[in-house]
Every structure is written in structure tokens, then in C-alpha cells.
Amino acid sequence: MQKKVTIYDLAKMLNVSPATVSRSLNDHHSISKKTKERILLAANEAGYRTNKFAANLSKQKSNTIGVVVPKLNSYFMSTVLSGIEKAANDEGYNLIISQSLESEKKEKLNTKTLYDSGVDALMVSLAYETSNYEHFDTFTKKEIPLLFFDRVFTLPNCPTILIDNKLAGFQATEHLISQGCKNLLHISGNLQRNEYAERLQGFKDAMVKNGIPFRTSNLLETDLDPQKIDEVLKHIKKSKNKVDGIFLANDTMAVECIKELKKIGIKIPEEIKIVGFNNDPISEIISPALTTIDYPGYKLGVLAGQSIISHLNGTINLESAGSIILKHKLIIRESTENKLN
Amino acid sequence: MQKKVTIYDLAKMLNVSPATVSRSLNDHHSISKKTKERILLAANEAGYRTNKFAANLSKQKSNTIGVVVPKLNSYFMSTVLSGIEKAANDEGYNLIISQSLESEKKEKLNTKTLYDSGVDALMVSLAYETSNYEHFDTFTKKEIPLLFFDRVFTLPNCPTILIDNKLAGFQATEHLISQGCKNLLHISGNLQRNEYAERLQGFKDAMVKNGIPFRTSNLLETDLDPQKIDEVLKHIKKSKNKVDGIFLANDTMAVECIKELKKIGIKIPEEIKIVGFNNDPISEIISPALTTIDYPGYKLGVLAGQSIISHLNGTINLESAGSIILKHKLIIRESTENKLN
DNA sequence: CTGAAAGCGCTAACAA
DNA sequence: TTGTTAGCGCTTTCAG
């Protein structure tokens, strides 16, 4: 166990006041270059390391950003996190990451913990089931910057960052229609979450625009658990009009769906065309390769991180930032190709 | 902006001492149930929230665990992190996560930052290029628990947690041999990292055991960047003896390899059989499905988290823990099937 | 340019 | 069972 050296120790060693040491260490302008250098040198030699608890306590600021995500272990989310971490690290911020595991209760708990931990800002992607948003009040009340990404909720003064899900849904659907699909099915996630609701809206819009009436049978709301792909299969089988085009709210589900459909002898894209969402690596690997929407996760992460930090630094006013919409892209692959049957 | 309420405020309000408030809040046994309840109630009403900076400063403990990983955005690592987060969260610990992006320099920096942030413990999976380990000295010297997982380095009193890479490599290779492969190739990662060195050792051992001499041409050391799959292809093409079995150090690479080989008309598994590593979701999706080694990432994360926490709690002595070896599993799929040519 | 000293809010040893 | 009080180590205002 090494004894910790404090600014007092340094002060004593160098016959200066602790204040001078503190100022030197923080590169305060009011300190002469000479003493500054002398102190820095001594600090290094002595193996001085600043005690962040004390500094934080004194400054009431932690240089830490809290992040709450539904799950860490999805391709999309880990990509986003990677981007956030990059942005944070570049600016000298730490990241405390926690996962809600799609549970509102855990989300509340994590939020509270992060608050207590004194994070300078909070970034959230909402849990599947969250329907009450009071746990964010503590942040807004204290004017701690709060930002939502991907799974967002509109709160005053809280910027959001995501893609235009409605447009993406629209494009995905129109693509299916343009490839000749008449009987569409949309496998959606929890419609309470913005992203799924909007993708559905885009789906509907595209149908309507192309003169196809939207019926409830064109939609299946699920929890997007690939284990429960049976539900989807059942729905497809029992459809009166043979489904010939499916738009699924994520790639994992889409891939699972392709696998199962292939198993029961349905040809893709000949009999059913499929579009996924996210552009996960698997979408490119599966055969037939999956048409999907590219969601720029890494970029989203970097941007989200940067914008909240620049707000913390006072560079930008987050309140005025409103929402950032990233560009997505429809990636057309084999699963919607127009082959001769 | 809400005024923050401190234990002093509460103390004044309730006509007790700050110490009593503090004790009540921490559920100290020496406080009567009555006052405890009274204080807790008042604290809630007043919207009291403990100031962790002050508590940390006083206790010299942060309830936070630092994690340094090479990259956040790989399936395997995000799975591990998910497990660690689960374990930490269950025990009331926060997680500060940072990525080294495979750079030694960044790893050093992150390590230092985490040290300064006062983490109670550190968990590390080493960067690709790390070859100097002095940045961990600050931790060992101060007796801050340090644990390595997956990409490990043996330091006195630092437990490691991983799988038996040598055995896994051996099994993968023997499987190829048992399927009739004679001219094997191993695509390895940086051999300075334990996992790759050991997988290679297993590869060699299996060859030797089966009477196949190991030659340098049987090995290609790469940085496992899927972008650089060309190198691998080149190596295969220029091989004197036609390669008929490849063992790659991860699934991403293996999948890329399969894709490229298929492109140039090589049949898998008829002409070349392939084994990957990790059991990423893509391994199951690619056609032909990839034979691989299942690396239980989530379990590793949970275990790693739990063991470091139980050490912090004094339940277990980490020093005596040594290393934990998790069970892996060879998953046989189509890419090594013995079809008639 | 430098120093003295008052916090920041909580914990814990010692008293009562 | 409760209170007093001295830190924890750093920042920062106010003086000099």
C-alpha cells in the first residue's frame, strides 16, 4: 500500500500553499510559469494523483456521463455505445453505462443511481415497457442535461437523436410494393415506443399512397423476441390473402423469419419478399441477403455524445438543439429481388 | 434548479444530529427503529438524495468498477459486458466502461483515468498491441483488485477468467482432421495475446498428435481485420498443398472467409472445411453454417463481475481465486460436414 | 502572483 | 441510542 500524496504534501515539500499547488495543477493562469513547472515536476515525481472525490465534491461536477440502454448486447446498441464512448473519451468524460433490460422498474432504478452518482448528464434509450417518465424529473428539475436517443420521448428541453423512422418505414414498404407485393405484413415492436409506431405509420402511409387499404391483419405487434417467431409464422399461415411481402422492425427478427420460412419450403424472395431494419451484419450474411434499412449507430453515438458534451461545455445550447435526425438508407439485397418464379 | 437538501438540513428539521441522520440513512443498527423511520420519512418528503462525492471522499470508496475492453462493438464483448453489468448492478455497483480500441496507448490512458476516478476495482481485457503492463502497477501497488478476462496477462494476485483456449484449438483442429482434412491452415490473431497463442498451440498439438508435421505455412498471423481477408485468400491460393481445412481465430473472420471462398467457386465443406471461434450469431446464419467454438461470454461476464465484487465485499479472497476456466463447446455445423464431393 | 481559510456533504471515532 | 467533532482532499473567494 502506497501512501497517497495530497496537495498538502506537495505544498509542504515545496514551501508553498495548497492553493498554489491546486492552481498549478489546474493550469490556472494566475500562477507564474516557474512555480507552475516546479510544482508539476514535483507532483510527477511524488506520484501525485488528484483525488476526484474531493475535486468533485468541491466543484459539484463529476466529468461523468450516465447512459441507460435497454440492452448492451445487441449489435446496434453496442455500436451506438462505441460511438458514445469515443466521443466521451475524446473530451475527457467518463461513461457510466447501465442496462434496463427492457424493464421500466430497472430503468427507474438505474436512473436514480446515476443521479445519485452525480453524473453531469444523462443519455437514455428507453426500455420497451416504459410508460411513465417521472424518473427523469429529477434531472430536468435540476437542469442536468438529458438526451434521448433511438428510443425517445419528447420532453421539453430534451434533445432527441434518431433517424426518421416514419420515412424509413415508408421507403421499406414502398420498395416492397414496387417489387410487386400486394399483401403486406408488418411485424412491429411495442407500438408505444416511438420508433415502432413511426415505422408502422410509414408502412401505412406507403400502403395508402399506393391504393392498398390498411387492415389490422396487415400488422402484428410483437415484442420482437426471436424465440417467439412461431407467432409470426402462425399469423402468416392463417392470413386469408397469401402474404407476399413482410417488413420487420429489426434484422434479428427478419433473419429468424427467413430461416423459418425457408424451413417450411417457402421461397424467398419468389413467394415472399422481406425487408428488415438496422443493417446488422447478419443481414448481409443470411441467404438470401436481407434488404434492410441502414441505421448509422456509430455515428448516432458519436453525435449524441458530442452534442451533450458541447452543451456541458457551454458551447451549444442543448435546449435549442431540438432533435437531430440522422440519415438512414434503404439497402436493397436479394430478399426483395424480383426473380421469375 | 431545486435547492439540494443535505443531512444537515434534515438534522435541523428533525432536531437531531447529522450523525443520526447519516446513520439512519445507512440503516445503521445503533439507531432506534422509531427515529430511523422518522428520518427516512422526512428524507423522502424533502427529496433528499445522498451526495456520493461526499460519501466517497469520506469512505474512500466509490462503489464503482472500471472496465477496459478492446472494443465495445463486437458481439462477444457486448455479451460479456452485459453479463458484467448484470452482476454489478445486482450488487449495487456502477460500471465505468471504456474501450482501448486495441491501442496500448489508449489502454494506458483509460487505466489511468479509471484509477483517478477512484474505481474500487478494475476489470481488463487487453488491447491487441499491449506489450507493457506497467500501467497496472498503480492498481496492484494500492491493492486495488484487478482482474483480467478473455485477453489476459498473468500478474501476481490478479485472477484471470477465460476458457481453455488451447484445448478449444485442439478440439477444433482435431475435428477438422477427423473430417479428413490433411492440409490445415490456422488463421491466427496477434500471437502475443494469450488466447491466440494458445489456440495456435492447440492447433499444433492436434496436428502433431495425428502425425501431421506443423510447418510455418500452416499458420498465418493476422490482425483479424475482416477487411483484410485478401491476405488470407492469397495465402490459400499460393499454398503448395491445397488447403482443405481452415481454423480461424474468430467467427467474423471465418464468415468473411467463407464468403470470399464461395465467390471464387470453392465449395465448402467439400473442398475446404472451416472452423471458427466464438459462436457469434452470424456463425449460425451463414451458409454453410459454421462449425465453431462456443465461448460463453455472458456467463464469463457475470462470473467475472461476481468474483471481483465478492472480493470487494471480503467474501472471497481474490488472490486465492487464481484463474477461472469456463467450459467451451465445439459446435459442429455444415462447414465441416463430410459430404460426398 | 500567492496565501489563508472557508466550505463541499458525509462518515466515524470518541463521548455522553 | 444519540451527539460532537474532526477529518476526507480539493476549490475558490478574499486578502495581501
Side-chain angles (χ1 to χ4, degrees):
Chain A
M1 192 70 167
Q2 223 178 218
K3 75 279 165 203
K4 53 218 141 236
V5 17
T6 73
I7 53 171
Y8 288 99
D9 300 328
L10 292 175
K12 221 166 280 173
M13 287 166 54
L14 300 168
N15 268 96
V16 292
S17 76
T20 305
V21 177
S22 171
R23 290 191 184 107
S24 300
L25 261 17
N26 291 309
D27 203 24
H28 197 282
H29 60 268
S30 75
I31 301 287
S32 77
K33 216 173 192 170
K34 246 174 75 181
T35 34
K36 214 180 269 180
E37 273 167 9
R38 201 163 61 99
I39 289 170
L40 250 30
L41 191 70
N44 265 329
E45 301 238 304
Y48 170 83
R49 322 211 79 177
T50 160
N51 179 324
K52 289 221 176 156
F53 303 148
N56 290 343
L57 176 58
S58 189
K59 286 191 299 197
Q60 300 296 340
K61 159 169 202 326
S62 65
N63 247 266
T64 294
I65 296 171
V67 184
V68 185
V69 299
K71 291 168 68 185
L72 272 162
N73 54 336
S74 83
Y75 172 79
F76 173 70
M77 202 46 87
S78 67
T79 309
V80 174
L81 285 173
S82 177
I84 298 180
E85 200 277 343
K86 171 84 170 79
N89 206 300
D90 283 355
E91 297 288 335
Y93 277 84
N94 271 150
L95 228 52
I96 301 191
I97 299 174
S98 66
Q99 48 188 350
S100 63
L101 299 176
E102 305 288 13
S103 136
E104 175 166 8
K105 198 176 147 202
K106 254 202 127 213
E107 183 179 287
K108 277 191 179 13
L109 238 69
N110 290 341
T111 306
K112 177 173 160 23
T113 308
L114 290 173
Y115 177 89
D116 287 339
S117 302
V119 295
D120 294 339
L122 185 68
M123 308 177 61
V124 181
S125 186
L126 291 164
Y128 217 81
E129 43 169 66
T130 300
S131 60
N132 174 301
Y133 306 90
E134 286 170 11
H135 46 305
F136 298 117
D137 289 355
T138 33
F139 285 85
T140 48
K141 269 187 198 153
K142 284 238 178 181
E143 289 176 1
I144 298 171
L146 175 59
L147 175 155
F148 291 99
F149 60 95
D150 184 40
R151 306 237 282 241
V152 309
F153 177 69
T154 309
L155 233 47
N157 292 340
C158 289
T160 57
I161 174 161
L162 71 172
I163 59 168
D164 186 340
N165 283 290
K166 190 165 135 192
L167 180 58
F170 183 86
Q171 289 167 336
T173 311
E174 243 192 0
H175 173 64
L176 283 172
I177 296 172
S178 78
Q179 296 300 90
C181 298
K182 309 272 185 223
N183 295 302
L184 300 175
L185 173 61
H186 176 40
I187 309 297
S188 157
N190 186 333
L191 288 171
Q192 187 164 313
R193 284 279 75 79
N194 63 296
E195 51 178 0
Y196 303 123
E198 281 168 18
R199 286 171 200 176
L200 169 60
Q201 193 55 55
F203 176 76
K204 283 184 185 171
D205 289 356
M207 289 181 75
V208 170
K209 185 192 156 201
N210 287 276
I212 311 178
F214 173 82
R215 296 202 181 80
T216 54
S217 60
N218 293 313
L219 168 69
L220 180 64
E221 184 177 355
T222 73
D223 59 4
L224 295 178
D225 178 352
Q227 308 267 316
K228 300 189 195 146
I229 192 72
D230 294 350
E231 282 179 35
V232 177
L233 271 279
K234 245 180 244 163
H235 189 96
I236 295 173
K237 282 181 202 159
K238 75 161 195 242
S239 291
K240 283 212 187 102
N241 303 309
K242 207 170 144 255
V243 171
D244 58 6
I246 313 182
F247 167 40
L248 296 101
N250 75 31
D251 284 347
T252 316
M253 232 19 207
V255 163
E256 207 60 33
C257 190
I258 290 181
K259 273 167 60 180
E260 293 302 318
L261 288 174
K262 275 165 71 179
K263 265 192 207 160
I264 57 173
I266 292 179
K267 281 187 190 152
I268 300 164
E270 291 85 346
E271 296 176 67
I272 301 186
K273 301 198 196 318
I274 297 197
V275 179
F277 210 105
N278 278 359
N279 197 20
D280 282 359
I282 37 166
S283 66
E284 212 181 343
I285 301 297
I286 184 117
S287 168
L290 179 65
T291 293
T292 188
I293 301 283
D294 181 58
Y295 194 151
Y298 184 78
K299 206 172 163 191
L300 177 139
V302 172
L303 264 173
Q306 285 175 346
S307 70
I308 209 154
I309 289 171
S310 55
H311 177 232
L312 286 171
N313 293 340
T315 319
I316 286 186
N317 214 332
L318 255 203
E319 282 104 56
S320 62
S323 71
I324 300 178
I325 306 290
L326 291 178
K327 255 190 291 200
H328 61 269
K329 206 163 96 188
L330 175 69
I331 310 241
I332 298 173
R333 298 209 185 94
E334 297 158 10
S335 70
T336 54
E337 227 168 62
N338 236 336
K339 292 191 191 174
L340 294 179
N341 207 336
Chain B
M1 191 72 167
Q2 224 177 215
K3 76 281 165 199
K4 52 217 141 236
V5 16
T6 75
I7 53 170
Y8 288 100
D9 300 329
L10 292 175
K12 222 168 280 174
M13 287 166 57
L14 299 169
N15 268 98
V16 292
S17 77
T20 305
V21 177
S22 171
R23 290 190 186 109
S24 300
L25 260 17
N26 291 308
D27 203 22
H28 196 281
H29 59 270
S30 75
I31 300 286
S32 77
K33 216 171 191 171
K34 246 173 79 181
T35 35
K36 212 179 275 180
E37 274 167 7
R38 200 163 62 100
I39 290 172
L40 250 32
L41 191 71
N44 265 330
E45 302 239 303
Y48 170 82
R49 321 212 80 176
T50 161
N51 180 324
K52 289 220 178 159
F53 303 149
N56 291 344
L57 175 59
S58 188
K59 285 190 300 194
Q60 301 295 339
K61 161 172 202 320
S62 65
N63 246 267
T64 294
I65 296 172
V67 184
V68 184
V69 298
K71 293 168 66 186
L72 272 162
N73 55 336
S74 83
Y75 173 79
F76 174 70
M77 202 47 88
S78 67
T79 309
V80 173
L81 285 172
S82 176
I84 298 180
E85 200 276 346
K86 171 82 169 81
N89 205 300
D90 284 355
E91 297 288 332
Y93 277 84
N94 270 151
L95 228 51
I96 301 191
I97 299 174
S98 65
Q99 48 187 350
S100 62
L101 299 176
E102 304 288 10
S103 137
E104 175 165 9
K105 199 176 145 202
K106 255 204 125 211
E107 184 178 287
K108 276 192 183 6
L109 239 70
N110 289 342
T111 306
K112 178 173 157 24
T113 308
L114 289 173
Y115 177 88
D116 286 340
S117 301
V119 294
D120 294 339
L122 185 68
M123 308 176 63
V124 181
S125 186
L126 291 165
Y128 218 80
E129 43 169 65
T130 300
S131 59
N132 173 302
Y133 306 90
E134 285 169 12
H135 46 304
F136 298 118
D137 289 355
T138 32
F139 285 85
T140 48
K141 269 186 199 152
K142 284 240 182 181
E143 291 176 0
I144 298 171
L146 176 57
L147 176 154
F148 291 99
F149 60 96
D150 184 39
R151 307 237 281 241
V152 308
F153 177 68
T154 309
L155 234 46
N157 292 340
C158 288
T160 57
I161 173 160
L162 72 173
I163 59 168
D164 186 338
N165 283 290
K166 190 165 134 194
L167 180 58
F170 183 86
Q171 290 167 337
T173 312
E174 253 204 343
H175 173 63
L176 283 173
I177 296 173
S178 79
Q179 296 301 89
C181 300
K182 309 271 187 227
N183 295 301
L184 301 175
L185 174 60
H186 176 41
I187 309 297
S188 157
N190 187 332
L191 288 172
Q192 189 165 311
R193 285 278 75 79
N194 62 296
E195 50 178 2
Y196 303 122
E198 282 168 16
R199 286 171 200 174
L200 169 60
Q201 193 53 55
F203 176 75
K204 284 184 184 170
D205 289 356
M207 288 181 76
V208 170
K209 186 191 156 200
N210 288 274
I212 311 177
F214 173 82
R215 296 202 182 78
T216 54
S217 60
N218 293 313
L219 169 68
L220 180 64
E221 186 178 353
T222 73
D223 60 2
L224 295 178
D225 179 353
Q227 309 267 316
K228 301 188 196 148
I229 193 71
D230 294 352
E231 283 179 35
V232 177
L233 271 278
K234 246 180 246 164
H235 189 95
I236 294 173
K237 282 182 202 156
K238 76 161 195 239
S239 291
K240 285 214 186 99
N241 302 308
K242 205 170 146 258
V243 171
D244 58 7
I246 313 182
F247 167 41
L248 297 101
N250 75 31
D251 284 347
T252 317
M253 230 24 203
V255 163
E256 208 60 33
C257 190
I258 290 180
K259 272 166 62 182
E260 292 303 317
L261 287 175
K262 275 165 70 178
K263 265 191 208 160
I264 58 173
I266 292 181
K267 281 186 189 151
I268 299 165
E270 290 85 345
E271 295 177 67
I272 300 186
K273 301 196 196 320
I274 297 197
V275 180
F277 211 105
N278 278 0
N279 197 21
D280 282 0
I282 38 165
S283 65
E284 211 181 344
I285 301 298
I286 183 116
S287 169
L290 179 63
T291 293
T292 189
I293 301 282
D294 181 58
Y295 195 151
Y298 184 78
K299 205 171 162 190
L300 178 139
V302 172
L303 264 173
Q306 286 175 344
S307 69
I308 210 153
I309 289 172
S310 54
H311 178 234
L312 285 170
N313 293 341
T315 319
I316 287 185
N317 214 335
L318 257 203
E319 284 104 56
S320 62
S323 70
I324 300 178
I325 306 290
L326 292 177
K327 256 191 290 201
H328 61 269
K329 206 162 97 189
L330 175 68
I331 310 241
I332 299 172
R333 299 208 186 95
E334 298 158 8
S335 69
T336 54
E337 229 168 61
N338 236 336
K339 291 191 190 172
L340 294 179
N341 209 336

